[in-house]
Amino acid sequence: MTYLSSNQLKQYEDQGYISPIEILSSSEALEARKEIELIEKKMPNEIEKTGRYNIHLISPKLDSIVHNSKILDAVESIIGKNILVCSTTLFIKNPNEQGFVSYHQDAKYIGLEPHNWVTAWVALTDSNENNGCMKMWPKSHLNIKDHSEKFDKGNLLTRGQTVENVPEDEVKSIELKAGQMSLHHPRVVHGSGINKSNDRRIGFVIQSYIGTNVKQTLGKNSVQVARGEDKYNHHEIIKRTNTLLSEESILLRKKENDYLQEIFYKGAKQKSSY
Ligand SMILES: O=C(O)CCC(=O)C(=O)O
């Protein structure tokens, strides 16, 4: 099954990303935003900072996006028909906050090898230059680059990992409407600026969809089988949720998020404020 045109697949191969891809209606995106905001109201702090990972384990609406068949059809054309989901991240930028993301490559710190995986960035609000949309450096996915670790205040990345000297004139802004997504390669250099608008910018990032051959080399990631079958058994399989904020799912998410913290800070000299 495919959801991507041959031009889009060629764009992924040549440039390291595809955008935009239509996934949700604007009302479905709004429903997901409302579920996030309900969780924020019911459990303040639960999905902030180190809690921003794996919301799909406690929220049926976000779970249904992770298992959305249009997304999986697109992902299948890139990594093949056996697809695992290994984690998700909410990148929320509120107005009047200074959150930004330094230019980086996901593959440098995430421990997933080989790079038979892809990240889906689903816009739950419009995402544009004014509110700090993603920016990609085309063709930067051909090799791994050096990063420095800056730990700047406001940097939403765990160590402020930064690829220096990115040529701004080559970088492309990835503007999306609520409900659209981009797909990016594990090695493409990307980042984003601050939100200068009066509303939140919410990206729900499925990071990542991995092929069943992919191992976690820095620690442990549990997974859900999104499509096909897992013949390799490299990871523990965890359940999907159909109940908002069930006690069992909150505990499971906490355990998974603790594993992620170990991966993200492996060998780091300090921790970020996020
Ligand atoms: O949402 C952002 O601005 C950055 C997200 C990001 O770095 C990623 O999806 O890998």
Side-chain angles (χ1 to χ4, degrees), residues 91 93 101 104 106 119 121 134 184 190 192 201 205 207:
F91 277 97
K93 291 180 185 169
V101 173
H104 66 285
D106 298 331
T119 298
W121 198 104
M134 286 261 278
H184 67 264
H190 59 284
S192 64
R201 189 224 68 170
V205 186
Q207 189 167 61

